[in-house]
Amino acid sequence: MGQVTSTDRRTALRTGAGLLAAGAFTAGCAPNGAVARSTSVAHASARSSAHADADPPTASPAPSPRGYPGRPAQLTHGPRTRPRVALTFHGQGDPAIARALLTTAEKHGAHLTVLAVGSWLDAQPELARRILDGGHDLGNHTQRHLAVNTMSEADARTEITACAGRLKKLTGSIGTWFRPSRAPLASPLVVRLAREAGYPHVLSYDVDSLDYTRPGADAVARKVLGEVRGGSVVSLHFGYPDTVAALPVVLEELARRGLSAVSTTELFS
């Protein structure tokens, strides 16, 4: 990783600290199912039903899922021969943090991939179009962000299709990708259910930022930049101030290395 100056760190950490003071926390998507909930998430759940009946008008339909012949059902990384990486975000948490991350990416000319939780979109449906209008990918991260691999077939199907339906209502598409909740990889059952719902591939990752453990912005940046390489798919989260503070550092260092941060669709295209 390139040298990061103390001034850069102070600037980045002040950004994160400001959001932290605002109480911006949310639930992570750790493989062990650890949960870190925030007051804002609780309030969002309370607002969910009110927002569900007040959807913004849809523009032209968003892109639909694509199949990539010859590639496995579960994708952990893209082509290693191209200088591209995909920064993927588990979409849940304080919408102010989501907007800050999207804006930061756009200022750096980067495209993200957001795997949105359906109940999160119920609470702030306008963010679906905000994500797409920024040139980012939008996908399905289940309806309630529960441990989908441990569910019965009927319940797991509902988690996938409910979020798909929410995305379709808001954007005209079920989203371009599906990622299981509470696990880096989907079980064979969930892979099959996702395919039946219209997703040819399950999107996993090969770099875990561990931002949901709240290790500090410097640690998030070091973890990502220490492991990322051409074709990598990086797991990050909305909802953590550390991630907001780390993102400019990550994007600047990727650019210095000649790596472009692109949407996952761009990565595989």
Side-chain angles (χ1 to χ4, degrees), residues 29 74-77 86-91 113-117 139-143 145-146 148-149 159-160 163 176-186 190 194 199 201-208 232-237 264 268:
C29 192
Q74 301 206 58
L75 301 172
T76 58
H77 64 82
L87 304 181
T88 69
F89 286 78
H90 303 241
T113 298
V114 180
L115 292 312
V117 175
N140 179 334
H141 197 37
T142 74
Q143 178 63 21
H145 199 256
L146 303 177
V148 68
N149 283 346
E159 282 295 306
I160 297 168
C163 186
T176 46
W177 301 98
F178 169 75
R179 173 173 286 168
S181 48
R182 300 287 173 200
L185 293 171
V190 171
Y199 303 97
H201 302 280
V202 170
L203 182 61
S204 185
Y205 45 86
D206 64 320
V207 178
D208 189 346
S232 282
V233 177
V234 182
S235 171
L236 295 143
H237 293 75
T264 309
F268 285 99

Side-chain angles (χ1 to χ4, degrees), residues 75 110-111 145 152 168 175 192 225 238 260:
L75 301 172
H111 292 157
H145 199 256
S152 68
K168 189 169 182 65
R192 174 171 65 80
L225 294 170
F238 284 170
S260 299

Side-chain angles (χ1 to χ4, degrees), residues 89-196:
F89 286 78
H90 303 241
Q92 187 179 21
D94 191 318
I97 290 184
R99 292 188 182 95
L101 287 163
L102 293 168
T103 299
T104 296
E106 290 153 13
K107 286 179 178 177
H108 286 79
H111 292 157
L112 309 179
T113 298
V114 180
L115 292 312
V117 175
S119 60
W120 183 71
L121 291 176
D122 286 343
Q124 42 270 326
E126 71 284 353
L127 278 177
R129 185 52 59 180
R130 168 66 184 88
I131 291 164
L132 292 170
D133 286 348
H136 311 289
D137 274 2
L138 179 62
N140 179 334
H141 197 37
T142 74
Q143 178 63 21
R144 295 177 295 163
H145 199 256
L146 303 177
V148 68
N149 283 346
T150 67
M151 292 180 174
S152 68
E153 180 171 346
D155 287 347
R157 177 182 286 107
T158 297
E159 282 295 306
I160 297 168
T161 59
C163 186
R166 192 71 183 129
L167 286 164
K168 189 169 182 65
K169 183 177 181 182
L170 290 170
T171 71
S173 165
I174 64 171
T176 46
W177 301 98
F178 169 75
R179 173 173 286 168
S181 48
R182 300 287 173 200
L185 293 171
S187 68
L189 171 63
V190 171
V191 170
R192 174 171 65 80
L193 294 174
R195 186 181 303 113
E196 291 173 359

Side-chain angles (χ1 to χ4, degrees), residues 89 208-215 220 235-238 240 242-243:
F89 286 78
D208 189 346
S209 69
L210 300 179
D211 57 350
Y212 58 84
T213 66
R214 299 174 183 157
V220 172
S235 171
L236 295 143
H237 293 75
F238 284 170
Y240 294 93
D242 289 348
T243 314

